[in-house]
Amino acid sequence: MRFSSGTRGRAVIGVAALVLLAGVLGGIAGALLRPGGSTASGPAAGAPCDVPGVAARVLPSLVTITVQGLGGAGTGSGSVLDRDGNLLTNDHVIAAAAGNGVITVDFARGQARVPARIVGRDPATDLAVIRVAPDAAQLTPIAVGESAALVVGQPVVAAGSPLGLTGTITSGTVSALNRYIDVGQGAAPATLVNAVQTDAAINPGNSGGPLTDCAGRQIGVSSAGAKTPGSEGGGSIGLNFAIPMDFARSVADQLIRTGRATHPGIGVLAVTVTAEMATATGLVRGALVQQVVPALGAAQAGIRAGDVITSVGGTPVNSVDQMLVAIRARNPGETVQLTYVRNGAQQSTNVAVSGT
């Protein structure tokens, strides 16, 4: 998205700062990259990708979103979810229009300046759904793929409106999976959980646009990308991130049904036991519980402050990020086994996952 106002990035990782894919005139919205998952730098796996064929399938479902409101003005991207007029995008694309703002949509292969309204927002995951009248445009829903089936090295295609250049198609590979990306602004927390990392060229204005497989099925929502410090107007450096479509679709379905979304949690506040902290304190690596929220799953299961969570559902965790990824892979109402260490002794318990 391209904004007329913004804030400078607040984190630098090595030589790159991670930013929301929002081009701005006054600065850029910052984010913090927390590593996880495996990486690949080689060529794409499998057969070559028919990018022109993908473009032909995806462009009828691609939209450019223009926003004007008290919070600023700008453009972003999105995709058509259904014939009822629901469009999927990032929350930061349409946030400026919350309240009395104006949103219009240009279809890459159709009508322009179609009025839209906000159906629901989920700032915590940077997802939103907007809607146009079903008879206001020719609606071609995008095919939806399974992000859970992605493998590192497979080819992918990104579509959107970088720097306002509508209907732009780029291609690359899945560079890594299961990244945890903090894209919160100030006091407003927001995270991309299990994010897909790709080297497909994604630039400001691609926010909210589809990342697809070579069959033209959407497997992600392009959301954040790395920039070298001081290059706020520069292009992609091949380090970009998308919200996995399995998760995005579940949030979108909730927003369409109720206007809001809930997320799985167990009711703990924790900090990461780093290698340095483990050496200094004798604690094991994991997520050190600092606070347990009364009446939620962890409290009911007997988890206490001072426990170090080391495994969730059989998945080892060495950090709070990995714990959150493992928990958010569950659904509210499920029960998950937690392994933790208390006073040097390993224990396990079943914890109810709640929606928050």
Side-chain angles (χ1 to χ4, degrees):
M1 184 173 182
R2 306 196 330 157
F3 269 118
S4 60
S5 63
T7 56
R8 181 166 297 278
R10 59 186 173 90
V12 175
I13 310 303
V15 296
L18 195 71
V19 299
L20 294 173
L21 295 173
V24 296
L25 300 180
I28 53 181
L32 175 62
L33 168 61
R34 296 176 179 173
S38 56
T39 60
S41 57
C49 192
D50 177 15
V51 178
V54 173
R57 287 187 286 272
V58 171
L59 286 174
S61 307
L62 178 68
V63 298
T64 300
I65 300 168
T66 302
V67 173
Q68 291 183 325
L70 295 178
T75 59
S77 303
S79 57
V80 179
L81 280 179
D82 55 40
R83 297 190 185 279
D84 293 328
N86 291 306
L87 313 177
L88 177 63
T89 187
N90 284 138
D91 179 70
H92 75 264
V93 168
I94 55 86
N100 296 320
V102 176
I103 304 174
T104 58
V105 173
D106 294 344
F107 289 78
R109 292 292 183 269
Q111 291 84 344
R113 298 196 61 77
V114 178
R117 64 178 180 85
I118 296 174
V119 173
R121 300 176 54 200
D122 188 29
T125 61
D126 196 25
L127 288 166
V129 173
I130 63 174
R131 182 179 295 159
V132 298
D135 58 355
Q138 182 175 346
L139 299 171
T140 304
I142 196 163
V144 176
E146 295 183 4
S147 53
L150 291 173
V151 296
V152 173
Q154 82 173 73
V156 288
V157 176
S161 303
L163 303 178
L165 300 173
T166 60
T168 296
I169 298 290
T170 59
S171 63
T173 65
V174 173
S175 304
L177 296 167
N178 301 321
R179 296 300 198 192
Y180 179 95
I181 313 298
D182 180 353
V183 292
Q185 298 300 303
T191 55
L192 313 184
V193 177
N194 288 336
V196 179
Q197 180 180 329
T198 179
D199 62 357
I202 298 176
N203 290 288
N206 278 105
S207 285
L211 184 71
T212 77
D213 61 17
C214 290
R217 298 172 298 200
Q218 184 168 2
I219 48 82
V221 180
S222 300
S223 300
K227 305 292 180 186
T228 55
S231 62
E232 295 176 2
S236 169
I237 63 171
L239 191 61
N240 303 299
F241 301 90
I243 301 168
M245 193 59 180
D246 293 351
F247 179 76
R249 187 58 200 252
S250 70
V251 172
D253 287 345
Q254 292 183 68
L255 294 177
I256 291 169
R257 290 196 312 267
T258 68
R260 62 184 298 271
T262 60
H263 305 292
I266 60 173
V268 298
L269 299 178
V271 296
T272 297
V273 180
T274 63
E276 294 81 2
M277 185 176 173
T279 299
T281 63
L283 294 171
V284 297
R285 294 293 305 277
L288 173 62
V289 177
Q290 291 190 311
Q291 183 178 343
V292 180
V293 181
L296 294 184
Q300 294 174 345
I303 299 296
R304 304 174 189 168
D307 293 344
V308 180
I309 297 172
T310 58
S311 174
V312 176
T315 301
V317 298
N318 286 331
S319 67
V320 172
D321 298 345
Q322 292 177 0
M323 180 189 72
L324 291 173
V325 167
I327 292 171
R328 288 197 176 181
R330 308 284 169 163
N331 294 314
E334 290 185 15
T335 298
V336 64
Q337 185 181 62
L338 249 61
T339 300
Y340 61 96
V341 174
R342 177 183 294 167
N343 298 327
Q346 180 172 291
Q347 304 183 47
S348 293
T349 186
N350 292 322
V351 178
V353 178
S354 61
T356 58

